[in-house]
Amino acid sequence: MTAKIIAIVNQKGGSGKTTTTMQLAGAIARRGNKVLVVDADPQGTATRWAASADDEIPFPASVVGLSAANAKVHREVKKFVDDYDFILIDCPPAADSPVPQSALLISDVALVPIIPSPLDMWAAVGIKQVIQNVADFNDTLQSRLVLNQCQPKTTLAQECLQVLPEFEIPLAKTQIQHRQVYRQSAVFGQTVHNLGNKATAAISEVENLADEVLEILGIATKKKKKKNS
Ligand SMILES: Nc1ncnc2c1ncn2[C@@H]1O[C@H](COP(=O)(O)OP(=O)(O)OP(=O)(O)O)[C@@H](O)[C@H]1O
Ligand SMILES: [Mg+2]
């Protein structure tokens, strides 16, 4: 097997990189895939997340800390590609970190979680340049913005809609809303899937994101297709 690699990037702190990484990694692993999370952030949040799980119910994906590799993280990740179906790389914030660029060099998909507020979005637009620079070396990289922490029942503010095109990165169909269960699942070292009925809406968002990412990768999802389509 050769792992498909998904990098989760945004130099803006707190946009939801680790949350997206862990929920998506867990969802894909639950579908019977062997999944590795590369914690490329010296903050070690993904590592701590998985370490918070009960011994009886371990986090469904493995986690390895590779932040020390810095600009060479792509070389380190390559060592794992034959052993996993999917590798998700949780990148650190900070515009001057060489890690996102290195991770994107070997990635099939880049996900950029952003909070749809003008301040967050302005601070994140710089990721466009990083992705465009990498495109010279990795011309099959596909990128999506993923709106995170959306407020329920409100449409996107006009200011946000104006900033979105500046990214020149297509928007994922799936949006992640602001929900307490996303925070709670981190405390338990799990994904929202383990939180029962109160997490139904979140589970469906995460499953939709997993479907969408697999579709981008050209991997058929388990959902039944409509006849004649
Ligand atoms: N959809 C959501 N609903 C509610 N809380 C969320 C959601 N997404 C993220 N959070 C919370 O927002 C905070 C930041 O999220 P997270 O750690 O995933 O961001 P990050 O981009 O990885 O941050 P950093 O740049 O520091 O690595 C966390 O407390 C997380 O639990
Ligand atoms: Mg993080």
Side-chain angles (χ1 to χ4, degrees), residues 8 10-21 41 43 45 49 90-94 113 115 147-150 176-184 186 205:
I8 296 82
N10 187 340
Q11 77 282 13
K12 175 79 178 71
S15 59
K17 294 177 289 294
T18 305
T19 301
T20 306
T21 303
D41 182 354
Q43 294 179 103
T45 321
W49 184 314
D90 182 22
C91 290
I115 297 174
L147 293 179
N148 181 35
Q149 300 215 30
C150 299
I176 306 292
Q177 290 202 355
H178 179 92
R179 301 180 193 278
Q180 287 307 323
V181 284
Y182 286 115
R183 291 171 186 220
Q184 285 164 7
E205 285 171 353

Side-chain angles (χ1 to χ4, degrees), residues 15-219:
S15 59
K17 294 177 289 294
T18 305
T19 301
T20 306
T21 303
M22 298 307 272
Q23 302 295 347
L24 193 58
I28 296 175
R30 280 170 161 267
R31 297 180 182 198
N33 298 294
K34 211 172 162 209
V35 180
L36 177 70
V37 171
V38 170
D39 188 351
D41 182 354
Q43 294 179 103
T45 321
T47 306
R48 279 190 211 159
W49 184 314
S52 306
D54 263 348
D55 289 344
E56 288 93 80
I57 321 169
F59 187 77
S62 311
V63 181
V64 63
L66 294 181
S67 66
N70 265 310
K72 294 190 175 120
V73 77
H74 59 292
R75 290 195 202 163
E76 293 301 313
V77 172
K78 271 187 187 162
K79 296 177 184 168
F80 294 92
V81 290
D82 292 332
D83 298 325
Y84 290 89
D85 300 308
F86 294 88
I87 298 177
L88 286 85
I89 311 175
D90 182 22
C91 290
D96 54 0
S97 167
V99 171
Q101 181 144 354
S102 169
L104 290 169
L105 276 177
I106 46 147
S107 292
D108 299 289
V109 174
L111 298 179
V112 184
I114 50 165
I115 297 174
S117 88
L119 291 182
D120 279 272
M121 292 171 78
W122 289 329
V125 171
I127 199 70
K128 173 179 79 174
Q129 200 56 55
V130 179
I131 289 176
Q132 282 177 356
N133 291 346
V134 168
D136 292 340
F137 305 96
N138 178 2
D139 55 11
T140 57
L141 177 69
Q142 302 205 61
S143 309
R144 295 289 185 280
L145 295 175
V146 182
L147 293 179
N148 181 35
Q149 300 215 30
C150 299
Q151 297 296 333
K153 296 195 185 94
T154 53
T155 49
L156 276 187
Q158 197 56 36
E159 304 83 62
C160 298
L161 291 173
Q162 279 167 4
V163 184
L164 273 178
E166 287 187 33
F167 283 91
E168 295 173 30
I169 299 169
L171 193 59
K173 283 177 271 177
T174 311
Q175 299 184 0
I176 306 292
Q177 290 202 355
H178 179 92
R179 301 180 193 278
Q180 287 307 323
V181 284
Y182 286 115
R183 291 171 186 220
Q184 285 164 7
S185 59
V187 177
F188 297 116
Q190 294 297 343
T191 62
V192 287
H193 300 80
N194 297 65
L195 295 180
N197 285 343
K198 65 178 173 183
T200 306
I203 294 167
S204 126
E205 285 171 353
V206 172
E207 288 297 314
N208 287 343
L209 184 62
D211 284 344
E212 191 172 348
V213 170
L214 295 187
E215 204 178 302
I216 294 168
L217 288 166
I219 297 166

